[in-house]
Amino acid sequence: MPSTNDQLQLLRQNSRAKITLALRRCGSMSRTQLAETAGLSVACVGKVVNELLQDQELVEVGNSVGQRGRPKSYYDINPEGALVAGVLLSAGSVQIVAAKRNGEIVSRETLLYKTNDGVPGHMMETIADAIKRRVKDVDAKPYALTGVGVSVAGMVDPLLGVIQGLTNRRGWEDVPVARILEDRLGVPVFADNNARAAALHDQWFGSRSGEGGVVYLYVGEGVGGAYI
C-alpha cells in the first residue's frame, strides 16, 4: 500500500498536471477559470499556481479588474522556463531533442547504435551525454533540465519505466531505461510505447487538442495504436 506521503505527492503531481494541461488547451486563464476548467478547488489552484510560478513553469501574462473592482491576474506556461528532453528509441537510431515547455524543439541530435555496438548499457551512457549536450546547446545551465520522456518502438512497462523489448533489435529486453537515466541525469524520467506517446502528444498539442477522445494508429517498424 502506498504511504500517506506517496498519496499526497501523487495528488500534488496530478494537480500540477491538470493545471498545465488546462493552460495548454485553453491559453492564459485566471485562478478562478483554472479551478473551473481543471476541476479543482480555488484554494488548491492558488497553492499549485504559486508553486509553478516559483518553479518558473508559469508566468503572469496580464491582469484585469474583476467583480467588485478586485484585480484578476492571468497565467500561462512559461515558454522560457526550464527545458525538457525527449528520446525516441527505434531499431535504426536514437533521436534526442531538447524542448521548451510549450513544445517547441530547440535542439536535436541523432545517435547510431553502431557507435556503441548497440549494447544497452553503453547506449544509455551515450544517450545521457547527448541529453546534456542538447541542454548545453541552448545555453541552458545543467540544472535547467527538469524531466525526460522516452518513447520506445517496442514493448514498455510505463509504470516501472522498463523496456521489455525493442522492435527489430535484440538485447533490449528488461532494460530499466527510466532508472538508468534518472541516476545519470538527476531528473524524473518517464518511458512509454511510441504509439501511446504520439497519441498523448496529439491530445496535448494537436490542432483539436482536448476535444473528445483520440484514436492513434502507427504503421512503421511495427503496427501499434492507442486510444485516449
Side-chain angles (χ1 to χ4, degrees), residues 52-216:
L52 292 171
L53 287 170
Q54 184 175 357
D55 293 342
Q56 298 184 350
E57 295 187 24
L58 297 186
V59 289
E60 186 174 331
V61 294
N63 54 71
S64 65
V65 178
Q67 294 179 350
R68 301 178 182 177
R70 294 178 180 175
K72 182 184 296 185
S73 298
Y74 290 83
Y75 307 93
D76 209 340
I77 295 171
N78 182 7
E80 302 303 327
L83 299 173
V84 293
V87 179
L88 172 58
L89 276 164
S90 62
S93 64
V94 181
Q95 305 290 327
I96 311 286
V97 300
K100 295 181 179 180
R101 285 305 180 98
N102 61 2
E104 178 189 355
I105 294 175
V106 292
S107 182
R108 89 171 55 233
E109 181 174 340
T110 300
L111 303 175
L112 299 178
Y113 290 96
K114 64 181 181 182
T115 59
N116 281 283
D117 58 33
V119 176
H122 296 166
M123 284 303 298
M124 288 295 102
E125 292 284 354
T126 304
I127 290 170
D129 290 341
I131 291 172
K132 294 175 183 177
R133 284 196 301 272
R134 293 310 98 215
V135 173
K136 186 177 180 181
D137 187 54
V138 252
D139 295 325
K141 297 178 180 178
Y143 55 79
L145 180 69
T146 58
V148 178
V150 182
S151 175
V152 180
M155 300 298 293
V156 183
D157 183 332
L159 295 179
L160 297 177
V162 174
I163 299 174
Q164 298 170 327
L166 189 59
T167 303
N168 297 329
R169 182 166 286 276
R170 296 179 180 178
W172 284 79
E173 294 78 22
D174 302 319
V175 178
V177 59
R179 179 180 59 78
I180 293 173
L181 291 179
E182 284 178 352
D183 289 344
R184 285 157 176 73
L185 298 171
V187 297
V189 177
F190 304 90
D192 209 336
N193 168 264
N194 60 339
R196 291 198 294 262
L200 286 171
H201 178 276
D202 189 70
Q203 176 75 344
W204 294 343
F205 296 101
S207 59
R208 299 178 65 83
S209 61
E211 296 186 15
V214 171
V215 176
Y216 185 88

